[in-house]
C-alpha cells in the first residue's frame, strides 16, 4: 500500500533535545552568498553497518551566529515496512498504523528528537511511494521472465521510459516510467533485496534466495509521488474531503483510494486496448522451464529438453519424436523420449483455462490483497 514517505513535522510537533547528532550540513546560495540550509544525521549510516534500518532525518535550519541551529521543520524519510519488520518485502495496511507511529517515535529518540506517536500520525506527507506486490503463478514464470515480457510495452503518456540494471551491476532489470513529478517502477523484488538488502532479515532472505529455498515470483509495482503539490493533486481526486496537506493518518485510513490510484496508473501504462495477449503456449514454456529447473540434469540436457518439449506442446508429440529420432543417436533418443514423456505427464496437470498476463496483473491490483507479514508467513513461505 504505502512503502516510503517523507514526513514534515512543524514546530510544536517535535523537540530537538540535542543537536550533536546532526553533524552533516548542506549549503544553499542566498543573496549571492552560501549559508547552511539543512542539517542531517548520519545515524542511518552507522546503524546500516550493524544490519539495522534507520530513517533519513533532517533539520532544515538557518545558521545564526557560531554553530547555533535555529530549527523550523523536521523532515523524516522512512520506509514504513522496513522500520517495522526490517524489510519492505512485506506490505503494510491499516492494522500496522499505531505500531508504526509508536516505533518511529521510539527510533527518533536515538538522535534525541522527541516526537509523540500522535504527532507522527498527524505529520504532513511531502512525498509518498505507493506500492503493490504481486505473487506470480508458476505458469507465468519468475518475476524476471515477466519483466522481460513487460518491457515491450511503453504506453504511459507524458513519461520517459527506461530499462535499467540494479545498482550493484547485476543482470536483473527493472522498468521505469517517469517524468518530473512521478515515477512508476516495475521490478523483481527478490533481485532488489539481493542487490540492496543489508538488514538482518534481508541477509537471511538473500541466503535463501541464492540457495534456491525461496522462489523469485514477487513482482513489485511502485508509484513515487515525488513533489508535494502534484501528490496533493493526485490524492484529492480520490480523498475528496481534503484539498492539501495530507497526513500519514490520511494515507493509512484510505486504503481504497490508494488502491484506485495504483490501478489508475497501471491502466495508463498497460492499456488493454493496445496490448497483445500472452498466449497459452508462452505460459506453458514458463511451466516447462520451471519444471526442468527442478531436475538434476546438465545445462545441455535442459536446453535440448526445453526445445523439444515446447515443440511437442505447440505442434504435437508425433512429429517431435520423429525429429528427435532423426537427429539423435539411439541411446540418446531413448533417454530423451523417457524424459519427454515425464514432462508430458507433468504438463497434463496444467489447466487449459489460464488468464493472460495483463488481465492477471490488473485483477491483482483490483483485489488489492496485500502481502502483509501474516499472509506471507501463513500462506506463501516458499516464494519471494
Amino acid at each position: 500500500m504505502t512503502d516510503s514517505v517523507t514526513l514534515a513535522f512543524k514546530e510544536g510537533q517535535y523537540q530537538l533535545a540535542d543537536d550533536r547528532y546532526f553533524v552533516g550540513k548542506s549549503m544553499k546560495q542566498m543573496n549571492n552568498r552560501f549559508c547552511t540550509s539543512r542539517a542531517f544525521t548520519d545515524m542511518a549510516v552507522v546503524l546500516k553497518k550493524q544490519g539495522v534500518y534507520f530513517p533519513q532525518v533532517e533539520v532544515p535550519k538557518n545558521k545564526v551566529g557560531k554553530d547555533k541551529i535555529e530549527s523550523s521543520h523536521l523532515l523524516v524519510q522512512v520506509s514504513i515496512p522496513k522500520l517495522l519488520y526490517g524489510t519492505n518485502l512485506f506490505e503494510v495496511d491499516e492494522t500496522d498504523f499505531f505500531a508504526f507511529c509508536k516505533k518511529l517515535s521510539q527510533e527518533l529518540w536515538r538522535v534525541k528528537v522527541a516526537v509523540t506517536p500522535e504527532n507522527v500520525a498527524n505529520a504532513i506527507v511531502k512525498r509518498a511511494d505507493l506500492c503493490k506486490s504481486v505473487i506470480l503463478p508458476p505458469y507465468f514464470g519468475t518475476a524476471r521472465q515477466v519483466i522481460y515480457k513487460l518491457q515491450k510495452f511503453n504506453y504511459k503518456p507524458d513519461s520517459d521510459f527506461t530499462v535499467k540494471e540494479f545498482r550493484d551491476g547485476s543482470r536483473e532489470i527493472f522498468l521505469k516510467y517517469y517524468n518530473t513529478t512521478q515515477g512508476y517502477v516495475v521490478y523483481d523484488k527478490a533481485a532488489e533485496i539481493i542487490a540492496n538488502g543489508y538488514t538482518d532479515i534481508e541477509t537471511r532472505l538473500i541466503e535463501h534466495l541464492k540457495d534456491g529455498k525461496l522462489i523469485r515470483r514477487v513482482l513489485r509495482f511502485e508509484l513515487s509521488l515525488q513533489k508535494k503539490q502534484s501528490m496533493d493533486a493526485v490524492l484529492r481526486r480520490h480523498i475528496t474531503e481534503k484539498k492539501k496537506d495530507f497526513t500519514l493518518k490520511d494515507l493509512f485510513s484510505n486504503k481504497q483510494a490508494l488502491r484506485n490510484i495504483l490501478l489508475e496508473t497501471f491502466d495508463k501504462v498497460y492499456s488493454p486496448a493496445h496490448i497483445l495477449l500472452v498466449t497459452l503456449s508462452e505460459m506453458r514454456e514458463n511451466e516447462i522451464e520451471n519444471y526442468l529447473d527442478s531436475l538434476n540434469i546438465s545445462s545441455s540436457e535442459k536446453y535440448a529438453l526445453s526445445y523439444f518439449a515446447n515443440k511437442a506442446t505447440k505442434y504435437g508429440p508425433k512429429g517431435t519424436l520423429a525429429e528427435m529420432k532423426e537427429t539423435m543417436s539411439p541411446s540418446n533418443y531413448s533417454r530423451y523420449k523417457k524424459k519427454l514423456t515425464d514432462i508430458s505427464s507433468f504438463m497434463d496437470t496444467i489447466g487449459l483455462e489460464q488468464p493472460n498476463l495483463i488481465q492477471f496483473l490488473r485483477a491483482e491490483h483490483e483485489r488489492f490483497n496485500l502481502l502483509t507479514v501474516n499472509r506471507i508467513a501463513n500462506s506463501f513461505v516458499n516464494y519471494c
Side-chain angles (χ1 to χ4, degrees), residues 152-209:
K152 303 172 187 176
F153 310 125
N154 177 20
Y155 292 109
K156 193 171 191 298
D158 303 321
S159 290
D160 294 319
F161 170 75
T162 187
V163 181
K164 292 185 177 181
E165 293 182 343
F166 285 114
R167 287 192 293 272
D168 69 340
S170 66
R171 297 179 63 184
E172 301 298 336
I173 63 170
F174 62 90
L175 310 181
K176 185 174 184 179
Y177 308 81
Y178 59 95
N179 55 35
T180 57
T181 61
Q182 294 184 13
Y184 188 54
V185 186
V186 185
Y187 61 94
D188 176 350
K189 186 58 192 172
E192 189 272 333
I193 290 174
I194 291 173
N196 302 318
Y198 63 87
T199 64
D200 290 341
I201 187 173
E202 287 173 336
T203 300
R204 294 196 296 272
L205 285 170
I206 290 169
E207 291 175 358
H208 292 323
L209 286 164

Side-chain angles (χ1 to χ4, degrees), residues 7 9 14-16 21-22 41 54-58 74-78 83 101-116 120:
L7 302 175
F9 296 85
Y14 77 99
Q15 181 179 358
L16 183 60
Y21 291 97
F22 290 86
T41 177
F54 189 80
Q56 301 291 330
V57 184
E58 299 182 354
L74 178 79
L75 297 181
V76 178
Q77 182 181 342
V78 57
L83 188 71
C101 292
K102 182 178 179 180
K103 178 72 171 178
L104 183 58
S105 173
Q106 293 170 341
E107 288 298 304
L108 287 177
W109 187 244
R110 285 182 185 262
V111 290
K112 301 306 177 191
V113 174
V115 178
T116 66
V120 173

Side-chain angles (χ1 to χ4, degrees), residues 25-43:
K25 296 180 175 67
S26 61
M27 308 298 290
K28 183 177 181 180
Q29 189 172 8
M30 298 179 63
N31 299 324
N32 296 320
R33 65 186 182 88
F34 286 94
C35 62
T36 303
S37 64
R38 193 177 298 268
F40 54 90
T41 177
D42 63 351
M43 185 61 71

Side-chain angles (χ1 to χ4, degrees), residues 69 151 196 244 258 278 296:
I69 296 179
Q151 70 175 314
N196 302 318
K244 63 177 183 177
L258 303 190
V278 176
N296 186 24

